Amino acid sequence: MIIKRVAIKNFGKIHNKSMEFSPGINVLYGENESGKTTTHVFVKSMLYGIQRQRGRAARKDAYTIYLPWENPAVYGGILWFENGGKNFRLSRNFYKENQECQLLCEDDGEILESGQDDLEAVLGGVSETVYENTVSIAQLKSTTGVELVREVQNYMASYQRTGDSSVDLGRTMQILKMTRKGFQVQADRRKRENQQEKEKIASNIEYLQGEIEELMEQDSQIESQETALHTGEEENGGRILDERIQKLQNQKNTWNMIGILCCAAGLAGAVVTGLLLWRLSFFCLIPLVTGLAALLAVTGFRRRADEELEKRKRQKSRWSAKQEKLRWNREKLEETKKEKNTALSNLISEYQEAEEHVYHPLAEELEIESLNLAMKTIEKLSRDIHRQVGGRLRRRTSQILSEITGGKYADVLMDADLRMTVNTEGRTVSLDHLSRGTVEQIYFALRMAAGELLCGEEKFPVILDEVFGMYDEERLAAVLSWLAGEKRQVIICSCRQREMEIMEKMGIPFHKVTL
């Protein structure tokens, strides 16, 4: 990528200013407060926009700092650049009431309507964070921050063995973790439901067993009542009552016969007496009265026999009713017991099935096992990738550092968080024990190496805003020589002449832009 020209209409302190840049090294020269940093921020804002903050943070964000005091509705400008062999014109207005972003491909006259989305595609997907932590070095920010660490780690997570970062393994791992969490939630819910179902079945089993025990007690009571009904005075119940009723019936019949005989005997006696005496007399009444008296006596006995017979029949009726009621209760009880036992058997079978189900893996658990296997595979792949990509970054950083230090420091060691030490002469030296100038060189080498790693094939312009303040003449000459050898666009923002003087002395061509 090459920035060819910028036209700042209204941005911070700069108004209607146009600047042209060459493909090689450019020096943006100006006194302090002349607008070098403003130009640097303008370029970044044109490429990535300005993110407005909210609340109190909005008082000191970039949008507020660079918002023009005069004519703020015209807040922006134009950037011409070449990328991927094509020429583009990027126009922006940052004003909140009239925001606009237009990207024009000047070669074919196509306006890319979607603005920022198409611009990101043109920039190869290089994020603003990557841009700020690699090729764009702001004043007093030559060291790197945690943002670069995250970007390098993200790149490593999305890097394949072939060197293709189009597949985001980190994102894939996140998706797998989220999917696994979803299945885990479902599995836990299923287990809770199964446990609750088991507890419900167990409770129903216990309840039914209690009911069946009550039915057994009722059955025992009915059996006791039936035993009592067939024993004792009232029992051998029905048999004795039947015998007594039959005996009383026979007695009644006997007394009826005796009464008839008494009447017949009385009449016969009276007739016989009359015939013997050849006339009716007082003596004829004696047999008749005697027969009547006997009949009265027999009638009394028969009445008592009838009363006793009716009493026994009523006893027999009550006994039969009790027996029938007990029989009906026993049949109903047996039917209820059968239903309860069937229900209990079904519940026990359900509980056994639920118990057996506990030892069978859920479908969700099988999915979780598959996801765990996939995640282990990705973790192994990621470790391999970290070794490869981390090794590339370390080797390239070491190579750059060796070139800009004349071979004095040729081996940089770094961990996963990009904490670095220098390996030299059989010992390692932490950055705390090195001079500020050497530390600046190390971070410069790291930024350049990370930029090559993260920015892809298209080389972005390197913008250096007053970053050589701690460099002595030798270090500065070495860095400028290295930049010239990289054959890429460089924009050095400086308020001093020494960068230009050194390049003139070394015969390094450059293009000067004066503010």
Side-chain angles (χ1 to χ4, degrees), residues 324-339:
E324 180 64 21
K325 183 177 181 181
L326 289 173
R327 183 190 63 79
W328 184 86
N329 286 342
R330 177 179 285 277
E331 291 178 353
K332 188 67 176 177
L333 190 63
E334 289 298 326
E335 181 180 351
T336 303
K337 282 170 57 181
K338 183 178 180 181
E339 292 175 355

Side-chain angles (χ1 to χ4, degrees), residues 447-466:
R447 278 177 170 269
M448 295 301 101
E452 294 177 7
L453 179 71
L454 301 176
C455 295
E457 297 180 358
E458 189 68 33
K459 292 185 177 181
F460 272 62
V462 177
I463 303 179
L464 307 172
D465 187 4
E466 298 286 3

Side-chain angles (χ1 to χ4, degrees), residues 218-428:
Q218 294 177 21
D219 189 29
S220 178
Q221 293 173 2
I222 291 174
E223 185 177 358
S224 299
Q225 291 174 5
E226 287 180 331
T227 301
L229 194 61
H230 291 83
T231 58
E233 180 71 21
E234 213 179 357
E235 75 6 289
N236 284 336
R239 181 177 60 79
I240 293 177
L241 283 173
D242 287 341
E243 290 176 355
R244 287 181 177 179
I245 289 172
Q246 185 62 42
K247 182 178 180 181
L248 288 172
Q249 186 67 45
N250 292 338
Q251 288 178 357
K252 178 180 177 182
N253 293 336
T254 300
W255 287 117
N256 285 339
M257 184 60 69
I258 292 173
I260 293 172
L261 291 175
C262 288
C263 291
L267 290 174
V271 172
V272 171
T273 301
L275 290 176
L276 291 175
L277 297 178
W278 296 102
R279 67 177 183 276
L280 295 173
S281 66
F282 173 77
F283 293 103
C284 293
L285 296 174
I286 293 174
L288 184 59
V289 171
T290 300
L292 290 174
L295 179 61
L296 290 173
V298 168
T299 301
F301 286 122
R302 191 177 68 82
R303 186 174 62 250
R304 286 194 293 275
D306 284 342
E307 291 175 353
E308 184 67 21
L309 179 61
E310 290 300 322
K311 177 181 177 182
R312 295 302 178 181
K313 285 183 177 180
R314 287 193 297 272
Q315 287 179 341
K316 174 65 176 181
S317 178
R318 289 194 298 270
W319 184 91
S320 297
K322 289 181 180 179
Q323 185 183 44
E324 180 64 21
K325 183 177 181 181
L326 289 173
R327 183 190 63 79
W328 184 86
N329 286 342
R330 177 179 285 277
E331 291 178 353
K332 188 67 176 177
L333 190 63
E334 289 298 326
E335 181 180 351
T336 303
K337 282 170 57 181
K338 183 178 180 181
E339 292 175 355
K340 298 292 185 182
N341 281 318
T342 300
L344 179 61
S345 177
N346 292 336
L347 284 174
I348 291 174
S349 297
E350 289 182 22
Y351 188 84
Q352 290 174 345
E353 290 178 2
E355 274 292 318
E356 293 174 357
H357 189 68
V358 171
Y359 300 100
H360 296 162
L362 299 173
E364 291 82 359
E365 291 177 330
L366 295 176
E367 293 289 348
I368 291 172
E369 289 181 5
S370 299
L371 290 169
N372 286 336
L373 179 59
M375 290 169 64
K376 287 180 181 179
T377 303
I378 290 177
E379 286 175 355
K380 182 179 182 302
L381 179 60
S382 295
R383 287 194 295 270
D384 294 341
I385 290 171
H386 271 261
R387 284 194 294 270
Q388 293 181 37
V389 177
R392 277 180 50 192
L393 180 62
R394 186 188 70 81
R395 288 192 297 272
R396 183 54 178 158
T397 301
S398 299
Q399 181 182 2
I400 296 172
L401 181 62
S402 177
E403 292 177 6
I404 64 177
T405 60
K408 183 177 181 180
Y409 300 105
D411 190 14
V412 175
L413 306 178
M414 64 178 68
D415 60 17
D417 294 324
L418 303 189
R419 289 188 291 264
M420 294 181 291
T421 55
V422 177
N423 185 27
T424 178
E425 296 179 357
R427 66 189 183 95
T428 59

